[in-house]
Amino acid sequence: MVGFPPRRKPSRKGSMADVPKDLLEQIKELERLFTVDQTKLKEVTEHFVKELEKGLSVEGGTIPMNPTWVMGYPDGYETGTFLALDMGGTNLRVCEIVLPEEKGEFEIIQSKYRMPEELKTGDSEELWEYIADCLQQFIEYHHELEDLEQMNSMNSKLPLGFTFSFPATQDFIDHGVLQRWTKGFDISGVEGKDVASLFEAALEKRKLPIKLSALINDTTGTLIASHYTDETMQIGCIFGTGCNAAYMESCGSVPKIAHYNLPPDMPIAINCEYGAFDNELVVLPRTPFDVIIDNDSPRPGQQAFEKMIAGLYLGELFRLVLVDLHDNKCGLFENQDIGKLRKAYSLDASFLSFIEEDPFENLSETSELFATELSIKASKPELELCRRLAELIGTRAARLSACGVAAICKKKSIEKCRVGADGSVFNKYPHFKARGAQALREILDWPQGKRDPVDIRAAEDGSGVGAALIAALTIKRVKAGNLAGIRNTDGMI
């Protein structure tokens, strides 16, 4: 997750009256580079629709469009006790969720465990050992030892939904082959392997009374959890460290699963993994700074869309521009040591968020931020440039993010719905929601003065509650004899 400070009052309008001409020219150039107008938004969206279709085809495309084997929405009457494991970018979260008899209700207890940085570039065995250890700590803390021993002796297991938020190919809901690491992870010995089997082996090694019922993506979980509490939710999105969306498709519209001979009108949730949109660079309006980010990333040429809008990269974009202005353009922060600013990924999205929310006309809080974090004493005109740059980067991210939502709406002919969105950028970056909504209006040509027919709202807890719900839906399907996309039913009922 990307860290953010608490929200404050809406930001004040900056004044460029006292900005020297050379800095004003640089600001105009930055505006030219980072502004995405309505024409470009529509061009990106039209290409996006084609790429979504291509991803569903037998041949496939850059956007994986992974079938999740989640075959429909919950009805609100699912019951039982479930574990949920959420492996995100920063933390490992373990939850126990109780679904009571009341429709659309849930109770949750949870614990977070820090994901050690060295683990993100370590090896496979270390990763699964750490995850199993966290699970063991959780269930031993929340359950009596006698109960656990009794569960083991009766071969009774707690059903678990595992939120594994990385691109995976799923032939079954309790199976998933990692396609590639994202979000800065690069753990050896996992790509191309079934993560469910690796996870289950770690559970078995410790004799933990847990049954993996479903391997899901946080975006799919967001879709299901949001629909559980609000049936008008038809798309789930994540705008955080990464970016993604999920929606419900008809099996008959997914040619690459035609060989399963499923009823064409049967619903199946699709995990788009559209951070990979336009890796071929056909329409995305990249700047030279986007090119640097891609070239210096662990996986150049991949996740092109994500690298332009996700929280992991916003601070780095900002940093690269400032270093370039200091070194090559207008002598920004002239005669100052910018050593701290030169450190790659030393700024995260919260840095830009703080600048955008500075309520003071003299940008005193931004000035203090530069002094304390970067040991840079910035002049008022320099602060105005930094403020404008943060706005441009944040606005571009929000506007481009709307293209993915608009593309799904156009593909599915959705004219009215709610979209459940989660992630630190959506929830905490100032004006992100309003800027995205404005972009949707421009792309979909909605009439002025009326309520937006597609409304992006804060989602329910997809990686916790959503994972538990999908585990419950899977068990419900097993009981009903609908085994499409389920590999191992042992211990599910």
Side-chain angles (χ1 to χ4, degrees), residues 191-240:
E191 288 185 342
K193 303 276 182 66
D194 174 20
V195 296
S197 295
L198 295 169
F199 172 63
E200 287 171 320
L203 296 180
E204 180 59 33
K205 190 174 176 182
R206 291 173 182 253
K207 302 297 180 191
L208 296 177
I210 295 170
K211 167 64 181 174
L212 175 64
S213 300
L215 182 76
I216 74 157
N217 183 278
D218 57 350
T219 321
T220 311
T222 296
L223 171 67
I224 297 301
S226 297
H227 190 88
Y228 180 68
T229 57
D230 180 353
E231 292 180 358
T232 65
M233 294 278 190
Q234 293 188 48
I235 301 171
C237 290
I238 301 290
F239 304 117

Side-chain angles (χ1 to χ4, degrees), residues 65-71 168 170-175 214-217 220 223-224 246-248 268-272 470 477 485:
M65 301 295 282
N66 295 324
T68 64
W69 303 105
V70 177
M71 316 299 280
Q170 289 191 265
D171 295 325
F172 307 94
I173 198 165
D174 50 345
H175 158 276
L215 182 76
I216 74 157
N217 183 278
T220 311
L223 171 67
I224 297 301
Y247 72 100
M248 204 63 74
I268 183 167
I270 298 295
N271 166 30
C272 300
I470 291 169
R477 285 209 288 127

